């Protein structure tokens, strides 16, 4: 099983590669991802909720691209009709956004709240040495995802010490399990880096 931080890294690589995918490659990647997401009840429910909340944005993407891109109008009799090429590009962008939502739902179903917090903390931990408030970032992201923020009611050095050496547990304590990385994580991240570098080259 991959480390939570590796799963997040693979998800980020997919998001960065997605704008470069089109045609058959996009259909293949999108079809596989949708099957993986919809096969899990938790991921399916989360994905449908995300799509429902983003339906206006998905529609506006298609309409804005259609209106802003010159070309043959969809309805010849209407001067303000969106163009065929623009509508096709808008639908493509909406499909990419839907795939990002599906991948996010899959990551959430695979990791859960505890895995997500563990992966984020492990991935961002090196930035703490540069003075980046990693703890605050993780808590705020949890709020964005509409989850209960995993924060203890401590102050100053107490909170910093809590994250440095997680306690055994408790009602108002934060425990983050930092699993060790394995060779599978290295192989997965190396493969994702090579694929992403090839797409961005």
């Amino acid at each position: 099983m991959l480390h939570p931080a590796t799963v997040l890294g693979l998800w980020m690589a997919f998001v960065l590669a997605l704008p470069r995918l089109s045609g058959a490659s996009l259909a293949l990647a999108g079809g596989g991802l949708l099957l993986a997401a919809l096969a899990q009840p938790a991921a399916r429910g989360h994905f449908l909720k995300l799509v429902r909340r983003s339906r206006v944005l998905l529609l506006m993407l298609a309409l804005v691209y259609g209106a802003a891109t010159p070309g043959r109008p969809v309805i010849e009799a209407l001067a303000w009709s969106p163009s065929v090429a623009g509508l096709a590009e808008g639908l493509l962008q909406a499909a990419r956004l839907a795939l990002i939502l599906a991948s996010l739902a899959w990551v959430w179903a695979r990791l859960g709240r505890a895995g997500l917090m563990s992966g984020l903390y492990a991935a961002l931990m090196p930035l703490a040495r540069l003075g980046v408030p990693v703890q605050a970032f993780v808590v705020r992201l949890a709020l964005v995802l509409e989850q209960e923020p995993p924060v203890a009611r401590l102050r100053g050095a107490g909170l910093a010490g809590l994250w440095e050496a997680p306690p055994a547990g408790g009602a108002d304590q934060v425990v983050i399990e930092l699993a060790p990385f394995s060779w599978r994580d290295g192989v997965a991240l190396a493969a994702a880096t090579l694929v992403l570098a090839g797409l961005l080259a």
Side-chain angles (χ1 to χ4, degrees):
M1 185 174 179
L2 295 177
H3 192 281
T6 303
V7 175
L8 292 178
L10 295 177
W11 175 76
M12 183 61 67
F14 172 76
V15 171
L16 293 175
L18 195 56
R20 298 282 182 167
L21 299 179
S22 60
S25 59
L26 180 62
L28 183 62
L33 175 61
L34 287 176
L35 287 176
L38 297 179
Q40 303 180 52
R44 181 169 62 248
H46 195 54
F47 172 61
L48 294 177
K49 182 171 69 173
L50 289 173
V51 170
R52 185 169 62 252
R53 292 183 175 181
S54 306
R55 62 185 182 277
V56 175
L57 178 59
L58 293 170
L59 178 61
M60 290 303 298
L61 270 176
L63 294 180
V64 168
Y65 270 89
T69 305
R72 182 171 61 87
V74 177
I75 304 177
E76 299 284 352
L78 298 177
W80 49 267
S81 174
S83 65
V84 175
L87 196 58
E89 182 64 24
L91 290 174
L92 180 61
Q93 297 299 332
R96 288 188 173 121
L97 177 57
L99 289 179
I100 291 177
L101 297 179
S103 66
L104 181 60
W106 179 83
V107 168
W108 179 256
R110 180 182 177 87
L111 297 182
R113 173 180 167 180
L116 181 61
M117 296 300 102
S118 175
L120 281 173
Y121 187 67
L124 300 178
M125 198 162 37
L127 298 179
R129 299 179 180 178
L130 302 177
V132 177
V134 174
Q135 297 93 335
F137 176 78
V138 172
V139 170
R140 288 171 184 171
L141 184 58
L143 286 172
V144 171
L145 296 175
E146 295 185 353
Q147 300 298 317
E148 290 289 333
V151 60
R153 295 186 177 181
L154 298 177
R155 297 179 181 177
L159 181 59
L162 179 66
W163 286 80
E164 289 292 334
D172 44 15
Q173 294 178 331
V174 176
V175 177
I176 294 186
E177 297 181 1
L178 298 179
F181 286 89
S182 69
W183 63 269
R184 296 182 183 86
D185 299 296
V187 171
L189 290 175
T193 301
L194 290 175
V195 172
L196 184 60
L199 290 173
L200 298 180

